[in-house]
Amino acid sequence: MSEPRPRTALYLKVAADLRAAIAAGEYGSGAKLPTEDELGRRYGVSRGTVRQALGSLRADGLVTSRRGTRRVVLGAPRLHGFGELRSFTRWARSLGEEPGGRVVALDRAAADEEETERLRLEPGAFVYRVLRLRTLSGAPVMVERTSYPERIGELVAGTPLDTISHSEQLELHGVLFADAQHTIDLARADEHDAELLGCEVGEALLRERRLSTDPAGSPVEWSQDRYLPGTVAFTVRSSTATSALGRRLSR
C-alpha cells in the first residue's frame, strides 16, 4: 500500500496567499490586513492557524507584529537580479532561507525533439535528465526538470545525490553559466508534481522554462521548473538600455 501524499501545512497556504496578495499590490504599504477572525472565516481555519501564517509574514518583515490588532503591511518582498534567478540556491541564501532539495530521478536517454533543438544537439545525441524537488527552509516549493548535454550531464551524475547546487559544482569543473533566456507561464500539475509538492493533479503551477548558455554561447542546460502558486513572484524591469528579470519570495 502506498503512503499517503503529504499535504502542505494550512498556515503555509494562508501565508502564501497573503504574500501573493501583498506582492500583487492588493495590500499596499501601510494598508491593514483583515482581522484574524475574518481571515479564519475566509480560509476555513482556526485563529491559531491564522496567527501562524501572520507570524511567518512578520518574520519576513512584511507586516507589523502586534497580536490582537489588524496587521499593517510594511512593504513588499525584496527583488533580486539575474544572478539569483539563475541559481535557486544563491537566491534562497540571499533571502536568509535555507535551500534544499533531493534528486528524485537521474537518467541518461536519447534526446527528444525539443531537447535536441534547445541544446543544439546532433540527431541521436544523448542527454542526462534530472528530476529534483527544491525546498525553502524545509518547505517544498518547486519541481525542477533539467536536461543537460551529455558532457555536462556526466559531471552532474558524478555529484552526490544530496548536492544542493548543481550549478556551483559545475562551476568547479569550469562550466560557467553566462546567459539565460526565461519564459514564464502556467502549467498543470502532473502526478510527479502532485506527489512531490502535495498539490492536486491538474492544479495550476507557475512554470519557468530556462535555457542557459556558457560564455561562448553554447547551451549548458534546458530546465522547466514548476512552482507552487504563491511561493515566488517574478518581476520584469525594462529600459531602453537593458532588461532584467528578477524573482522575489512571496511564499
Side-chain angles (χ1 to χ4, degrees):
M1 180 181 298
S2 61
E3 296 182 357
R5 193 167 67 229
R7 299 292 297 171
T8 303
L10 287 176
Y11 86 90
L12 290 177
K13 290 185 176 294
V14 175
D17 194 21
L18 291 174
R19 280 191 179 90
I22 293 172
E26 294 180 27
Y27 303 106
S29 180
K32 291 184 177 181
L33 293 180
T35 66
E36 292 177 357
D37 286 340
E38 289 175 314
L39 290 172
R41 288 192 296 271
R42 177 185 300 179
Y43 295 101
V45 298
S46 68
R47 289 186 68 179
T49 296
V50 170
R51 286 173 180 169
Q52 280 186 288
L54 293 174
S56 178
L57 299 183
R58 183 180 67 247
D60 289 342
L62 295 179
V63 299
T64 54
S65 61
R66 289 176 296 172
R67 177 176 294 185
T69 63
R70 293 177 64 185
R71 301 306 203 286
V72 175
V73 176
L74 297 177
R78 290 166 288 175
L79 301 179
H80 295 275
F82 168 74
E84 289 78 23
L85 179 59
R86 194 265 300 161
S87 171
F88 178 92
T89 298
R90 288 169 178 162
W91 168 74
R93 287 172 179 161
S94 75
L95 297 180
E97 296 277 351
E98 182 62 33
R102 63 181 177 88
V103 173
V104 178
L106 191 158
D107 303 292
R108 178 179 178 269
D112 61 24
E113 184 176 348
E114 183 176 44
E115 290 165 334
T116 299
E117 177 184 355
R118 298 288 185 175
L119 296 174
R120 297 185 222 153
L121 303 174
E122 294 295 330
F126 282 78
V127 296
Y128 278 79
R129 297 173 184 153
V130 180
L131 175 67
R132 281 203 296 173
L133 172 68
R134 305 308 303 269
T135 61
L136 285 177
S137 300
V141 296
M142 183 257 281
V143 173
E144 181 181 84
R145 293 170 171 82
T146 306
S147 299
Y148 296 98
E150 189 168 25
R151 66 181 179 84
I152 296 175
E154 289 175 346
L155 298 175
V156 174
T159 63
L161 291 179
D162 60 353
T163 297
I164 299 300
S165 175
H166 285 162
S167 61
E168 289 180 350
Q169 291 300 310
L170 288 173
E171 288 173 3
L172 296 178
H173 292 278
V175 179
L176 302 179
F177 294 72
D179 197 10
Q181 177 181 324
H182 308 267
T183 301
I184 310 297
D185 61 5
L186 294 179
R188 297 293 177 181
D190 62 17
E191 292 184 356
H192 283 302
D193 299 323
E195 180 180 0
L196 295 171
L197 295 175
C199 63
E200 299 295 335
V201 173
E203 184 173 331
L205 303 176
L206 183 64
R207 178 173 63 177
E208 178 209 354
R209 288 178 287 177
R210 181 179 66 258
L211 176 64
S212 300
T213 54
D214 64 15
S218 299
V220 291
E221 69 167 5
W222 166 241
S223 191
Q224 302 188 57
D225 304 338
R226 299 185 179 190
Y227 293 84
L228 277 172
T231 55
V232 297
F234 292 91
T235 62
V236 178
R237 182 180 298 110
S238 300
S239 72
T240 56
T242 186
S243 63
L245 176 65
R247 170 174 50 194
R248 62 185 179 185
L249 182 68
S250 63
R251 172 166 62 78

